[in-house]
Amino acid sequence: MKILVTITETESVDTVFEIDGLEIDSRYLSTDLNEWDAYALEEAVQIAEDGGGEVVTATIGPEGVEGTVRQALAKGADRAIRVWDEELAALDILDPLTKATVLGAVVDAEQPDLVFTGVQSGDDVFGATPVALASTLGWAWGTVVNDLQIDEVAHVHRELEGNLEELTDVERPAVLSIQTGINQPRHASLRDITRAQQAEIDTRSLADLDLDVDAIASPIEQTDLYEPESEGEATIYEGSPEETATELAAVIEETGVIR
Amino acid sequence: MTVLAIAEHRRGELREVSLELLAASRKLADATDGGLHVGVVSGDIERYTERLNREDVDVVHTVAYGEEFNHDVYTQAVTQLVEAVEPTVVLAPNTVNGLDYLPAVAERLDIPIVTDATELSYDEHLTVTRELYGGKVETTLDIDTQQAAVTIRPGSWPRAGGTGDAEISAFDARIDESAVRSTVTGFQEIGGEVDIAEADVLVAVGRGIESEDNLEIVRDLADALDATLAASRPVIDNGWLPADRQVGQSGKTVSPELYIAVGISGTVQHVSGVRAETFIAINDDPNAPIFEVADYGVVDDLFEVVPALTEQLTRS
Ligand SMILES: Cc1cc2nc3c(=O)[nH]c(=O)nc-3n(C[C@H](O)[C@H](O)[C@H](O)COP(=O)(O)OP(=O)(O)OC[C@H]3O[C@@H](n4cnc5c(N)ncnc54)[C@H](O)[C@@H]3O)c2cc1C
């Protein structure tokens, strides 16, 4: 079985950061393999280890994300594809339909049996790309999957709200969006990390994927980026841990929960 | 401009977020003196329609097909409904199921989709406000097209009230059964031994605790308070605590007298599950969104503050 896993590098803002226009300078950002994608990757790698097959990752992003792509290679992916060019770089934001178009073209080129994605990217949290991708491909899909058995169909548990799971059978081929907790993602060994450092990452442009610039045009324009105004009314205690602990203990006693 | 809102139901109940959706849609429609249309697909549509017929709803379109949510049915029905009603904006809740079909509708109609909106406005074009980076940054997006699809964050709008006199219209969706490629075979409730929803005092621990061994310090705090230990999702995902301890969207909604959040950032999926009388947060990031919902907070290292607090409480 050949499984394609979409991998994205997510950014998180540091404790102290500044916004400059529509940008946050990279010195205030930390990057990592998207939390959800780590679980999607592990699920694919386990399936390939158990039943044979290949795991290929697909990533949209500039050269700078190759460290994250190599993390995925170290954690068991066989091959990696990275899509980027000037046209993608010129986009204001990567919206879900744009991501789906580009990833869909990679799937068309690779012809995997299944595609695994994370449920969402931790930074832009659209959570819409998996289903948009399945729709682009004309494939079946299953989302927020926290349990998976594959035979002629994919038997999935979909995690709904409020401690409830939906049990669903999804025809193949399918795009499955994987939820955290489905497995325990592995840590890469030093040997795997070294091997991944030397691996070839297959880089493609839109033209390589037979896409033109119109295919990725987005009518969504980012017009503002700001720190939300605090609406909280929390009383914040300051001082040494002993001092703040004393204040908190007084608050707790006041609530009357200590009997 | 017309707004089309697609209601959500599950296992025979209309979900409350559907009423928030009506309020969000009404506000948007009002901005342009437009109409508010509501779509309800599958299940007991008559009963759902009765509840959806709130003040200022103009039309409720019903699609009688099947019982439970099935994304392949919804994708087809809602796509056809959008083609028939021609709304400027089609809205659904930003829920697990809302996100399970609306992106496909958008892809099929080739209209942009923006998810998890916390504010919406319309002035010549649609403007959506949403959060990035776990709620630490907000952004506004302008969408300059004839049509757009948007999901709205639960809990961000009030529930629509009143009773309306909407036109009820049966919509004849043509569902191609060969395009229904997923089958819901059942539901499973996730139980456990401990019911955190019953607890008066909860000490909840998040990723900031860093390792299973470190749980000791929050256990000590919980013991000192005779409290129940709860957690945010990463602690459960890592297997450090069992699933019945999870607070939030996919876990439990809790309403204790006292909630102490330790090393939890406060993403919407977590805090949507907390309704505490008194809410204390301990986190070393002053910008952590948890302080937006807390009543009392300490911005400091939990490894210092938590043991100090335990000591204070055991001493007194
Ligand atoms: C469909 C779906 C459903 C979900 N359901 C749930 C759910 O039910 N419940 C849930 O909790 N999440 C849920 N999530 C996940 C959610 O989006 C977040 O990923 C999660 O809540 C983050 O947990 P956290 O706050 O513990 O971790 P983080 O966001 O990583 O926050 C850790 C915090 O600890 C602080 N910290 C670190 N070190 C220290 C220190 N030494 N001292 C003090 N503070 C420190 C940091 O400043 C940070 O704010 C769901 C996500 C999805 C997509």
Side-chain angles (χ1 to χ4, degrees), chain A residues 36 119-120 159 179, chain B residues 206-208 232-234 246-251 263-265 267 269-270 283-285 300-303:
Chain A
W36 283 266
V119 166
Q120 62 179 25
E159 184 192 276
Q179 174 65 318
Chain B
R207 184 162 16 218
S232 69
R233 177 165 198 129
Q246 185 175 315
V247 174
Q249 173 181 312
S250 49
I264 295 177
S265 65
T267 58
Q269 289 99 349
H270 184 80
N283 192 309
D284 63 5
D285 178 359
D300 204 351
D301 186 356
L302 70 89
F303 295 104

PDB file of all heavy atoms in Angstrom, chain A residues 36 119-120 159 179, chain B residues 206-208 232-234 246-251 263-265 267 269-270 283-285 300-303, ligand 1:
ATOM      1  N   TRP A  36      -0.625  17.609  14.412  1.00  0.00           N
ATOM      2  CA  TRP A  36      -1.565  16.620  13.862  1.00  0.00           C
ATOM      3  C   TRP A  36      -0.899  15.763  12.785  1.00  0.00           C
ATOM      4  O   TRP A  36      -1.172  14.574  12.676  1.00  0.00           O
ATOM      5  CB  TRP A  36      -2.813  17.323  13.308  1.00  0.00           C
ATOM      6  CG  TRP A  36      -3.735  17.736  14.415  1.00  0.00           C
ATOM      7  CD1 TRP A  36      -4.783  17.023  14.877  1.00  0.00           C
ATOM      8  CD2 TRP A  36      -3.672  18.919  15.222  1.00  0.00           C
ATOM      9  NE1 TRP A  36      -5.379  17.689  15.936  1.00  0.00           N
ATOM     10  CE2 TRP A  36      -4.721  18.852  16.163  1.00  0.00           C
ATOM     11  CE3 TRP A  36      -2.831  20.025  15.258  1.00  0.00           C
ATOM     12  CZ2 TRP A  36      -4.967  19.849  17.112  1.00  0.00           C
ATOM     13  CZ3 TRP A  36      -3.072  21.015  16.201  1.00  0.00           C
ATOM     14  CH2 TRP A  36      -4.120  20.922  17.104  1.00  0.00           C
ATOM     15  N   VAL A 119      -5.689  16.767  11.133  1.00  0.00           N
ATOM     16  CA  VAL A 119      -7.021  17.381  11.191  1.00  0.00           C
ATOM     17  C   VAL A 119      -6.942  18.860  10.835  1.00  0.00           C
ATOM     18  O   VAL A 119      -7.792  19.393  10.136  1.00  0.00           O
ATOM     19  CB  VAL A 119      -7.644  17.207  12.607  1.00  0.00           C
ATOM     20  CG1 VAL A 119      -8.843  18.117  12.813  1.00  0.00           C
ATOM     21  CG2 VAL A 119      -8.042  15.758  12.824  1.00  0.00           C
ATOM     22  N   GLN A 120      -5.892  19.524  11.299  1.00  0.00           N
ATOM     23  CA  GLN A 120      -5.736  20.956  11.058  1.00  0.00           C
ATOM     24  C   GLN A 120      -4.268  21.316  11.196  1.00  0.00           C
ATOM     25  O   GLN A 120      -3.483  20.540  11.728  1.00  0.00           O
ATOM     26  CB  GLN A 120      -6.564  21.771  12.054  1.00  0.00           C
ATOM     27  CG  GLN A 120      -6.125  21.544  13.504  1.00  0.00           C
ATOM     28  CD  GLN A 120      -6.912  22.367  14.520  1.00  0.00           C
ATOM     29  OE1 GLN A 120      -8.045  22.749  14.267  1.00  0.00           O
ATOM     30  NE2 GLN A 120      -6.297  22.653  15.653  1.00  0.00           N
ATOM     31  N   GLU A 159     -14.001  11.312  15.744  1.00  0.00           N
ATOM     32  CA  GLU A 159     -14.198  11.903  17.055  1.00  0.00           C
ATOM     33  C   GLU A 159     -15.107  13.117  16.936  1.00  0.00           C
ATOM     34  O   GLU A 159     -14.731  14.125  16.345  1.00  0.00           O
ATOM     35  CB  GLU A 159     -12.835  12.311  17.617  1.00  0.00           C
ATOM     36  CG  GLU A 159     -12.896  12.858  19.006  1.00  0.00           C
ATOM     37  CD  GLU A 159     -11.591  13.504  19.375  1.00  0.00           C
ATOM     38  OE1 GLU A 159     -10.678  12.791  19.801  1.00  0.00           O
ATOM     39  OE2 GLU A 159     -11.477  14.725  19.209  1.00  0.00           O
ATOM     40  N   GLN A 179      -6.533  12.467  13.798  1.00  0.00           N
ATOM     41  CA  GLN A 179      -6.599  13.239  15.038  1.00  0.00           C
ATOM     42  C   GLN A 179      -5.459  12.828  15.974  1.00  0.00           C
ATOM     43  O   GLN A 179      -5.004  11.667  15.955  1.00  0.00           O
ATOM     44  CB  GLN A 179      -7.976  13.007  15.682  1.00  0.00           C
ATOM     45  CG  GLN A 179      -8.203  13.612  17.049  1.00  0.00           C
ATOM     46  CD  GLN A 179      -8.187  15.136  17.064  1.00  0.00           C
ATOM     47  OE1 GLN A 179      -7.350  15.778  16.411  1.00  0.00           O
ATOM     48  NE2 GLN A 179      -9.082  15.732  17.819  1.00  0.00           N
TER      49      GLN A 179
ATOM     50  N   GLY B 206      -1.936  20.854  31.853  1.00  0.00           N
ATOM     51  CA  GLY B 206      -1.726  20.891  30.404  1.00  0.00           C
ATOM     52  C   GLY B 206      -0.310  20.532  30.010  1.00  0.00           C
ATOM     53  O   GLY B 206       0.497  20.070  30.839  1.00  0.00           O
ATOM     54  N   ARG B 207      -0.019  20.786  28.750  1.00  0.00           N
ATOM     55  CA  ARG B 207       1.269  20.400  28.188  1.00  0.00           C
ATOM     56  C   ARG B 207       2.446  21.030  28.916  1.00  0.00           C
ATOM     57  O   ARG B 207       3.562  20.504  28.876  1.00  0.00           O
ATOM     58  CB  ARG B 207       1.303  20.790  26.699  1.00  0.00           C
ATOM     59  CG  ARG B 207       2.560  20.324  26.041  1.00  0.00           C
ATOM     60  CD  ARG B 207       2.567  20.253  24.521  1.00  0.00           C
ATOM     61  NE  ARG B 207       1.539  20.956  23.841  1.00  0.00           N
ATOM     62  CZ  ARG B 207       0.930  20.485  22.742  1.00  0.00           C
ATOM     63  NH1 ARG B 207       1.285  19.338  22.246  1.00  0.00           N
ATOM     64  NH2 ARG B 207       0.002  21.180  22.148  1.00  0.00           N
ATOM     65  N   GLY B 208       2.204  22.158  29.575  1.00  0.00           N
ATOM     66  CA  GLY B 208       3.272  22.826  30.312  1.00  0.00           C
ATOM     67  C   GLY B 208       3.930  21.948  31.364  1.00  0.00           C
ATOM     68  O   GLY B 208       5.029  22.243  31.820  1.00  0.00           O
ATOM     69  N   SER B 232      -5.853  18.840  29.874  1.00  0.00           N
ATOM     70  CA  SER B 232      -6.091  19.217  28.485  1.00  0.00           C
ATOM     71  C   SER B 232      -5.646  18.037  27.615  1.00  0.00           C
ATOM     72  O   SER B 232      -5.015  17.091  28.088  1.00  0.00           O
ATOM     73  CB  SER B 232      -5.312  20.479  28.119  1.00  0.00           C
ATOM     74  OG  SER B 232      -3.929  20.176  28.107  1.00  0.00           O
ATOM     75  N   ARG B 233      -5.963  18.153  26.361  1.00  0.00           N
ATOM     76  CA  ARG B 233      -5.809  17.038  25.449  1.00  0.00           C
ATOM     77  C   ARG B 233      -4.394  16.443  25.335  1.00  0.00           C
ATOM     78  O   ARG B 233      -4.240  15.221  25.310  1.00  0.00           O
ATOM     79  CB  ARG B 233      -6.297  17.497  24.074  1.00  0.00           C
ATOM     80  CG  ARG B 233      -6.124  16.457  23.068  1.00  0.00           C
ATOM     81  CD  ARG B 233      -6.910  16.744  21.818  1.00  0.00           C
ATOM     82  NE  ARG B 233      -6.977  15.477  21.173  1.00  0.00           N
ATOM     83  CZ  ARG B 233      -8.056  14.904  20.731  1.00  0.00           C
ATOM     84  NH1 ARG B 233      -9.192  15.524  20.827  1.00  0.00           N
ATOM     85  NH2 ARG B 233      -8.010  13.743  20.183  1.00  0.00           N
ATOM     86  N   PRO B 234      -3.331  17.277  25.200  1.00  0.00           N
ATOM     87  CA  PRO B 234      -2.008  16.668  24.997  1.00  0.00           C
ATOM     88  C   PRO B 234      -1.617  15.699  26.113  1.00  0.00           C
ATOM     89  O   PRO B 234      -0.920  14.710  25.855  1.00  0.00           O
ATOM     90  CB  PRO B 234      -1.068  17.887  24.962  1.00  0.00           C
ATOM     91  CG  PRO B 234      -1.923  19.015  24.507  1.00  0.00           C
ATOM     92  CD  PRO B 234      -3.278  18.753  25.110  1.00  0.00           C
ATOM     93  N   GLN B 246     -10.252  14.189  30.324  1.00  0.00           N
ATOM     94  CA  GLN B 246     -10.104  15.289  29.365  1.00  0.00           C
ATOM     95  C   GLN B 246     -11.250  16.296  29.423  1.00  0.00           C
ATOM     96  O   GLN B 246     -12.416  15.948  29.297  1.00  0.00           O
ATOM     97  CB  GLN B 246      -9.995  14.746  27.945  1.00  0.00           C
ATOM     98  CG  GLN B 246      -9.724  15.852  26.913  1.00  0.00           C
ATOM     99  CD  GLN B 246      -9.494  15.293  25.520  1.00  0.00           C
ATOM    100  OE1 GLN B 246      -8.776  14.326  25.350  1.00  0.00           O
ATOM    101  NE2 GLN B 246     -10.125  15.897  24.539  1.00  0.00           N
ATOM    102  N   VAL B 247     -10.868  17.566  29.574  1.00  0.00           N
ATOM    103  CA  VAL B 247     -11.833  18.662  29.557  1.00  0.00           C
ATOM    104  C   VAL B 247     -11.818  19.297  28.174  1.00  0.00           C
ATOM    105  O   VAL B 247     -10.754  19.491  27.599  1.00  0.00           O
ATOM    106  CB  VAL B 247     -11.436  19.739  30.601  1.00  0.00           C
ATOM    107  CG1 VAL B 247     -12.335  20.966  30.497  1.00  0.00           C
ATOM    108  CG2 VAL B 247     -11.481  19.157  31.998  1.00  0.00           C
ATOM    109  N   GLY B 248     -12.986  19.596  27.623  1.00  0.00           N
ATOM    110  CA  GLY B 248     -13.008  20.349  26.371  1.00  0.00           C
ATOM    111  C   GLY B 248     -13.946  19.782  25.342  1.00  0.00           C
ATOM    112  O   GLY B 248     -14.737  18.885  25.619  1.00  0.00           O
ATOM    113  N   GLN B 249     -13.807  20.324  24.142  1.00  0.00           N
ATOM    114  CA  GLN B 249     -14.701  20.012  23.023  1.00  0.00           C
ATOM    115  C   GLN B 249     -14.954  18.522  22.845  1.00  0.00           C
ATOM    116  O   GLN B 249     -16.087  18.074  22.784  1.00  0.00           O
ATOM    117  CB  GLN B 249     -14.103  20.571  21.735  1.00  0.00           C
ATOM    118  CG  GLN B 249     -14.874  20.157  20.482  1.00  0.00           C
ATOM    119  CD  GLN B 249     -14.242  20.699  19.220  1.00  0.00           C
ATOM    120  OE1 GLN B 249     -13.914  21.872  19.140  1.00  0.00           O
ATOM    121  NE2 GLN B 249     -14.087  19.847  18.214  1.00  0.00           N
ATOM    122  N   SER B 250     -13.882  17.740  22.766  1.00  0.00           N
ATOM    123  CA  SER B 250     -14.089  16.319  22.516  1.00  0.00           C
ATOM    124  C   SER B 250     -14.110  15.516  23.802  1.00  0.00           C
ATOM    125  O   SER B 250     -14.385  14.330  23.798  1.00  0.00           O
ATOM    126  CB  SER B 250     -13.039  15.779  21.551  1.00  0.00           C
ATOM    127  OG  SER B 250     -11.762  16.171  21.966  1.00  0.00           O
ATOM    128  N   GLY B 251     -13.813  16.181  24.925  1.00  0.00           N
ATOM    129  CA  GLY B 251     -13.905  15.520  26.221  1.00  0.00           C
ATOM    130  C   GLY B 251     -15.181  15.948  26.920  1.00  0.00           C
ATOM    131  O   GLY B 251     -16.244  15.944  26.323  1.00  0.00           O
ATOM    132  N   GLY B 263      -0.518  25.269  33.384  1.00  0.00           N
ATOM    133  CA  GLY B 263       0.215  24.995  32.137  1.00  0.00           C
ATOM    134  C   GLY B 263      -0.692  24.651  30.981  1.00  0.00           C
ATOM    135  O   GLY B 263      -0.369  23.807  30.155  1.00  0.00           O
ATOM    136  N   ILE B 264      -1.833  25.333  30.922  1.00  0.00           N
ATOM    137  CA  ILE B 264      -2.795  25.164  29.819  1.00  0.00           C
ATOM    138  C   ILE B 264      -2.908  26.502  29.100  1.00  0.00           C
ATOM    139  O   ILE B 264      -3.103  27.537  29.748  1.00  0.00           O
ATOM    140  CB  ILE B 264      -4.173  24.712  30.357  1.00  0.00           C
ATOM    141  CG1 ILE B 264      -4.067  23.317  30.975  1.00  0.00           C
ATOM    142  CG2 ILE B 264      -5.237  24.744  29.264  1.00  0.00           C
ATOM    143  CD1 ILE B 264      -5.357  22.799  31.602  1.00  0.00           C
ATOM    144  N   SER B 265      -2.792  26.506  27.760  1.00  0.00           N
ATOM    145  CA  SER B 265      -2.744  27.783  27.038  1.00  0.00           C
ATOM    146  C   SER B 265      -4.114  28.431  26.897  1.00  0.00           C
ATOM    147  O   SER B 265      -4.227  29.642  26.807  1.00  0.00           O
ATOM    148  CB  SER B 265      -2.115  27.588  25.656  1.00  0.00           C
ATOM    149  OG  SER B 265      -2.942  26.762  24.847  1.00  0.00           O
ATOM    150  N   THR B 267      -6.790  27.275  24.503  1.00  0.00           N
ATOM    151  CA  THR B 267      -7.403  27.257  23.170  1.00  0.00           C
ATOM    152  C   THR B 267      -8.904  27.044  23.319  1.00  0.00           C
ATOM    153  O   THR B 267      -9.366  26.525  24.334  1.00  0.00           O
ATOM    154  CB  THR B 267      -6.843  26.102  22.303  1.00  0.00           C
ATOM    155  OG1 THR B 267      -7.090  24.873  22.986  1.00  0.00           O
ATOM    156  CG2 THR B 267      -5.362  26.264  22.057  1.00  0.00           C
ATOM    157  N   GLN B 269     -10.874  24.959  22.032  1.00  0.00           N
ATOM    158  CA  GLN B 269     -11.335  23.576  22.227  1.00  0.00           C
ATOM    159  C   GLN B 269     -11.243  23.165  23.688  1.00  0.00           C
ATOM    160  O   GLN B 269     -11.943  22.271  24.113  1.00  0.00           O
ATOM    161  CB  GLN B 269     -10.524  22.589  21.375  1.00  0.00           C
ATOM    162  CG  GLN B 269     -10.806  22.678  19.903  1.00  0.00           C
ATOM    163  CD  GLN B 269      -9.785  23.492  19.176  1.00  0.00           C
ATOM    164  OE1 GLN B 269      -8.958  24.165  19.788  1.00  0.00           O
ATOM    165  NE2 GLN B 269      -9.820  23.455  17.861  1.00  0.00           N
ATOM    166  N   HIS B 270     -10.361  23.790  24.424  1.00  0.00           N
ATOM    167  CA  HIS B 270     -10.288  23.476  25.852  1.00  0.00           C
ATOM    168  C   HIS B 270     -11.292  24.313  26.655  1.00  0.00           C
ATOM    169  O   HIS B 270     -12.131  23.767  27.368  1.00  0.00           O
ATOM    170  CB  HIS B 270      -8.874  23.692  26.396  1.00  0.00           C
ATOM    171  CG  HIS B 270      -8.746  23.289  27.836  1.00  0.00           C
ATOM    172  ND1 HIS B 270      -8.590  21.983  28.220  1.00  0.00           N
ATOM    173  CD2 HIS B 270      -8.818  24.011  28.985  1.00  0.00           C
ATOM    174  CE1 HIS B 270      -8.571  21.909  29.542  1.00  0.00           C
ATOM    175  NE2 HIS B 270      -8.695  23.129  30.030  1.00  0.00           N
ATOM    176  N   ASN B 283       0.316  30.133  34.452  1.00  0.00           N
ATOM    177  CA  ASN B 283       0.947  29.967  33.145  1.00  0.00           C
ATOM    178  C   ASN B 283       2.049  31.007  33.031  1.00  0.00           C
ATOM    179  O   ASN B 283       1.860  32.159  33.440  1.00  0.00           O
ATOM    180  CB  ASN B 283      -0.115  30.180  32.040  1.00  0.00           C
ATOM    181  CG  ASN B 283       0.380  29.746  30.674  1.00  0.00           C
ATOM    182  OD1 ASN B 283       1.456  30.147  30.239  1.00  0.00           O
ATOM    183  ND2 ASN B 283      -0.409  28.932  29.994  1.00  0.00           N
ATOM    184  N   ASP B 284       3.194  30.637  32.464  1.00  0.00           N
ATOM    185  CA  ASP B 284       4.304  31.602  32.420  1.00  0.00           C
ATOM    186  C   ASP B 284       4.256  32.527  31.204  1.00  0.00           C
ATOM    187  O   ASP B 284       5.130  33.371  31.036  1.00  0.00           O
ATOM    188  CB  ASP B 284       5.658  30.880  32.543  1.00  0.00           C
ATOM    189  CG  ASP B 284       5.926  29.924  31.399  1.00  0.00           C
ATOM    190  OD1 ASP B 284       5.108  29.881  30.446  1.00  0.00           O
ATOM    191  OD2 ASP B 284       6.946  29.207  31.455  1.00  0.00           O
ATOM    192  N   ASP B 285       3.240  32.387  30.375  1.00  0.00           N
ATOM    193  CA  ASP B 285       3.109  33.257  29.204  1.00  0.00           C
ATOM    194  C   ASP B 285       2.007  34.287  29.466  1.00  0.00           C
ATOM    195  O   ASP B 285       0.832  33.949  29.523  1.00  0.00           O
ATOM    196  CB  ASP B 285       2.748  32.401  27.980  1.00  0.00           C
ATOM    197  CG  ASP B 285       2.542  33.237  26.731  1.00  0.00           C
ATOM    198  OD1 ASP B 285       2.654  34.486  26.819  1.00  0.00           O
ATOM    199  OD2 ASP B 285       2.266  32.651  25.669  1.00  0.00           O
ATOM    200  N   ASP B 300       3.796  32.895  35.940  1.00  0.00           N
ATOM    201  CA  ASP B 300       5.076  32.434  36.479  1.00  0.00           C
ATOM    202  C   ASP B 300       5.239  30.945  36.185  1.00  0.00           C
ATOM    203  O   ASP B 300       4.309  30.285  35.707  1.00  0.00           O
ATOM    204  CB  ASP B 300       5.110  32.697  37.996  1.00  0.00           C
ATOM    205  CG  ASP B 300       6.546  32.806  38.525  1.00  0.00           C
ATOM    206  OD1 ASP B 300       7.487  32.510  37.760  1.00  0.00           O
ATOM    207  OD2 ASP B 300       6.707  33.176  39.697  1.00  0.00           O
ATOM    208  N   ASP B 301       6.402  30.459  36.520  1.00  0.00           N
ATOM    209  CA  ASP B 301       6.742  29.055  36.296  1.00  0.00           C
ATOM    210  C   ASP B 301       5.891  28.147  37.204  1.00  0.00           C
ATOM    211  O   ASP B 301       5.938  28.265  38.430  1.00  0.00           O
ATOM    212  CB  ASP B 301       8.229  28.877  36.606  1.00  0.00           C
ATOM    213  CG  ASP B 301       8.735  27.492  36.277  1.00  0.00           C
ATOM    214  OD1 ASP B 301       7.916  26.639  35.877  1.00  0.00           O
ATOM    215  OD2 ASP B 301       9.957  27.274  36.414  1.00  0.00           O
ATOM    216  N   LEU B 302       5.167  27.250  36.586  1.00  0.00           N
ATOM    217  CA  LEU B 302       4.288  26.367  37.368  1.00  0.00           C
ATOM    218  C   LEU B 302       5.090  25.490  38.326  1.00  0.00           C
ATOM    219  O   LEU B 302       4.597  25.102  39.383  1.00  0.00           O
ATOM    220  CB  LEU B 302       3.415  25.519  36.439  1.00  0.00           C
ATOM    221  CG  LEU B 302       4.050  24.403  35.598  1.00  0.00           C
ATOM    222  CD1 LEU B 302       4.069  23.073  36.356  1.00  0.00           C
ATOM    223  CD2 LEU B 302       3.270  24.224  34.318  1.00  0.00           C
ATOM    224  N   PHE B 303       6.339  25.192  37.968  1.00  0.00           N
ATOM    225  CA  PHE B 303       7.152  24.323  38.821  1.00  0.00           C
ATOM    226  C   PHE B 303       7.544  25.018  40.123  1.00  0.00           C
ATOM    227  O   PHE B 303       7.983  24.375  41.073  1.00  0.00           O
ATOM    228  CB  PHE B 303       8.391  23.825  38.065  1.00  0.00           C
ATOM    229  CG  PHE B 303       8.019  22.941  36.901  1.00  0.00           C
ATOM    230  CD1 PHE B 303       8.074  23.418  35.594  1.00  0.00           C
ATOM    231  CD2 PHE B 303       7.563  21.649  37.121  1.00  0.00           C
ATOM    232  CE1 PHE B 303       7.706  22.615  34.532  1.00  0.00           C
ATOM    233  CE2 PHE B 303       7.184  20.837  36.059  1.00  0.00           C
ATOM    234  CZ  PHE B 303       7.256  21.329  34.763  1.00  0.00           C
TER     235      PHE B 303
HETATM  236  C1  LIG C   1     -11.234  18.513  16.774  1.00  0.00           C
HETATM  237  C2  LIG C   1     -10.401  18.918  17.960  1.00  0.00           C
HETATM  238  C3  LIG C   1     -10.847  18.645  19.237  1.00  0.00           C
HETATM  239  C4  LIG C   1     -10.099  19.014  20.349  1.00  0.00           C
HETATM  240  N1  LIG C   1     -10.585  18.745  21.593  1.00  0.00           N
HETATM  241  C5  LIG C   1      -9.894  19.149  22.681  1.00  0.00           C
HETATM  242  C6  LIG C   1     -10.401  18.925  24.007  1.00  0.00           C
HETATM  243  O1  LIG C   1     -11.465  18.336  24.207  1.00  0.00           O
HETATM  244  N2  LIG C   1      -9.665  19.355  25.060  1.00  0.00           N
HETATM  245  C7  LIG C   1      -8.469  20.000  24.915  1.00  0.00           C
HETATM  246  O2  LIG C   1      -7.855  20.380  25.915  1.00  0.00           O
HETATM  247  N3  LIG C   1      -7.961  20.208  23.676  1.00  0.00           N
HETATM  248  C8  LIG C   1      -8.639  19.799  22.568  1.00  0.00           C
HETATM  249  N4  LIG C   1      -8.101  20.007  21.324  1.00  0.00           N
HETATM  250  C9  LIG C   1      -6.706  20.471  21.207  1.00  0.00           C
HETATM  251  C10 LIG C   1      -6.518  21.962  21.341  1.00  0.00           C
HETATM  252  O3  LIG C   1      -6.634  22.548  20.064  1.00  0.00           O
HETATM  253  C11 LIG C   1      -5.111  22.278  21.882  1.00  0.00           C
HETATM  254  O4  LIG C   1      -4.150  21.668  21.077  1.00  0.00           O
HETATM  255  C12 LIG C   1      -4.898  21.838  23.322  1.00  0.00           C
HETATM  256  O5  LIG C   1      -5.994  22.197  24.138  1.00  0.00           O
HETATM  257  C13 LIG C   1      -3.656  22.460  23.883  1.00  0.00           C
HETATM  258  O6  LIG C   1      -3.396  21.955  25.176  1.00  0.00           O
HETATM  259  P1  LIG C   1      -2.489  22.757  26.198  1.00  0.00           P
HETATM  260  O7  LIG C   1      -3.074  24.086  26.482  1.00  0.00           O
HETATM  261  O8  LIG C   1      -2.241  21.867  27.361  1.00  0.00           O
HETATM  262  O9  LIG C   1      -1.108  22.877  25.415  1.00  0.00           O
HETATM  263  P2  LIG C   1      -0.401  24.155  24.794  1.00  0.00           P
HETATM  264  O10 LIG C   1      -1.317  24.907  23.917  1.00  0.00           O
HETATM  265  O11 LIG C   1       0.877  23.683  24.243  1.00  0.00           O
HETATM  266  O12 LIG C   1      -0.127  25.082  26.067  1.00  0.00           O
HETATM  267  C14 LIG C   1       0.811  24.788  27.059  1.00  0.00           C
HETATM  268  C15 LIG C   1       0.874  26.019  27.944  1.00  0.00           C
HETATM  269  O13 LIG C   1       1.737  25.765  29.035  1.00  0.00           O
HETATM  270  C16 LIG C   1       2.476  26.927  29.327  1.00  0.00           C
HETATM  271  N5  LIG C   1       3.702  26.526  29.999  1.00  0.00           N
HETATM  272  C17 LIG C   1       4.739  25.806  29.485  1.00  0.00           C
HETATM  273  N6  LIG C   1       5.690  25.617  30.419  1.00  0.00           N
HETATM  274  C18 LIG C   1       5.256  26.247  31.552  1.00  0.00           C
HETATM  275  C19 LIG C   1       5.794  26.418  32.857  1.00  0.00           C
HETATM  276  N7  LIG C   1       6.986  25.886  33.216  1.00  0.00           N
HETATM  277  N8  LIG C   1       5.087  27.117  33.750  1.00  0.00           N
HETATM  278  C20 LIG C   1       3.884  27.652  33.428  1.00  0.00           C
HETATM  279  N9  LIG C   1       3.327  27.514  32.207  1.00  0.00           N
HETATM  280  C21 LIG C   1       3.999  26.823  31.282  1.00  0.00           C
HETATM  281  C22 LIG C   1       2.716  27.576  27.995  1.00  0.00           C
HETATM  282  O14 LIG C   1       2.917  28.965  28.139  1.00  0.00           O
HETATM  283  C23 LIG C   1       1.417  27.258  27.241  1.00  0.00           C
HETATM  284  O15 LIG C   1       0.483  28.320  27.353  1.00  0.00           O
HETATM  285  C24 LIG C   1      -8.848  19.660  20.185  1.00  0.00           C
HETATM  286  C25 LIG C   1      -8.410  19.942  18.902  1.00  0.00           C
HETATM  287  C26 LIG C   1      -9.165  19.573  17.793  1.00  0.00           C
HETATM  288  C27 LIG C   1      -8.670  19.911  16.437  1.00  0.00           C
END
